[in-house]
Amino acid sequence: MKKCCIFDMDGTLFQTNLILEPALEKTFNMLREQDLWNEDTPIEKYREIMGVTLPTVWKTLCPKHSYEIREKSNEYFHKQLIALIKNNEGALYPHAEKVLMTLSEDFEVFIASNGQEEYLKAIVETYDLEKYIKKVYSIQTVASGHKSELVERVLKENQITSGYVIGDRSSDINAAKDNNLIAIGVEFDFSQPEELEKANYIVKDLREVLEFTL
């Protein structure tokens, strides 16, 4: 019987907060230079909605802008994020690599993230995580943009029958519940207490994940 551990990336394994502010600041500076923005960079607003799909991110941050400008902003933003990752200005959460290594001995480990493919690839390659992770799944691969459908795809493609979803937002918890998996909520930077209420377990340190899975 195959069993899995499916991890979210941002705010769960990777400390996105370390590169979020500089990348967002660069993006809105670009918009200012083109006279498309004259307010403060909406960093706090982005922190509030972290974990939603990218179209929702830019519709929320730039509600008065056209679809084309939002797409351009998102593309520029991701280039900045990837550059920062490759320059080692980000970081995994403490003990992330050790936890992935330990789990990979007994589970098939996957990433299911709302992040774009190139962005996720940059993190995995920069921190040499390929040896622990069987496959990375981006929300770009499902038309609905729903994390539950993405996790369902992981299960079907890999003939998984049981396991865990580990993440920091309600989309991760719901994805676990919708697919009859066990939900482990991580209480890190972007997590919201009310979003983790339905999780089977809540951890404040990734090492605690091992206590509930092994």
Side-chain angles (χ1 to χ4, degrees):
M1 182 175 70
K2 290 186 180 180
K3 53 184 181 178
C4 69
C5 284
I6 303 173
F7 282 86
D8 174 48
M9 181 64 87
D10 291 317
T12 299
L13 290 174
F14 184 68
Q15 297 186 61
T16 317
N17 57 308
L18 297 178
I19 62 172
L20 175 65
E21 185 169 337
L24 206 60
E25 194 65 54
K26 288 175 184 290
T27 304
F28 278 87
N29 280 339
M30 179 269 291
L31 292 173
R32 291 185 186 98
E33 290 171 1
Q34 298 181 21
D35 294 322
L36 294 171
W37 191 264
N38 58 8
E39 302 174 28
D40 292 337
T41 301
I43 293 170
E44 288 305 316
K45 175 59 69 175
Y46 193 17
R47 288 180 178 276
E48 291 173 12
I49 62 173
M50 190 70 184
V52 301
T53 59
L54 290 170
T56 302
V57 166
W58 291 101
K59 186 175 182 180
T60 303
L61 297 184
C62 301
K64 298 179 181 179
H65 289 156
S66 67
Y67 174 81
E68 290 74 19
I69 292 174
R70 292 175 192 161
E71 284 289 293
K72 182 180 179 180
S73 300
N74 181 58
E75 182 179 348
Y76 187 89
F77 176 59
H78 269 79
K79 286 182 179 178
Q80 302 308 312
L81 288 174
I82 291 168
L84 290 165
I85 291 166
K86 291 182 176 180
N87 199 37
N88 287 304
E89 295 188 42
L92 299 176
Y93 278 99
H95 317 295
E97 184 174 359
K98 179 182 179 181
V99 168
L100 290 173
M101 178 180 67
T102 303
L103 289 173
S104 67
E105 295 173 359
D106 294 290
F107 295 87
E108 292 190 349
V109 179
F110 302 92
I111 301 295
S113 169
N114 283 341
Q116 293 187 347
E117 291 179 3
E118 188 179 358
Y119 167 77
L120 297 171
K121 181 180 179 182
I123 296 173
V124 170
E125 290 183 349
T126 298
Y127 298 99
D128 195 24
L129 302 179
E130 298 100 325
K131 54 185 176 288
Y132 311 126
I133 297 167
K134 183 172 182 180
K135 189 172 180 180
V136 177
Y137 287 80
S138 165
I139 202 69
Q140 287 178 291
T141 62
V142 293
S144 69
H146 293 154
K147 180 69 77 74
S148 293
E149 184 179 346
L150 187 63
V151 168
E152 181 183 10
R153 180 175 177 181
V154 175
L155 300 181
K156 286 184 177 180
E157 285 191 0
N158 298 279
Q159 299 180 318
I160 302 294
T161 54
S162 64
Y164 303 80
V165 174
I166 302 97
D168 67 321
R169 302 307 298 258
S170 59
S171 59
D172 302 301
I173 308 306
N174 292 335
K177 299 296 183 180
D178 291 342
N179 288 284
N180 297 311
L181 301 176
I182 296 172
I184 300 179
V186 296
E187 203 168 31
F188 294 164
D189 297 294
F190 301 112
S191 65
Q192 303 291 329
E194 63 275 12
E195 293 190 13
L196 300 183
E197 287 179 354
K198 295 181 181 179
N200 297 91
Y201 308 106
I202 298 176
V203 302
K204 296 184 178 182
D205 184 311
L206 282 173
R207 289 174 295 184
E208 296 176 54
V209 172
L210 301 178
E211 299 176 13
F212 299 119
T213 56
L214 298 179

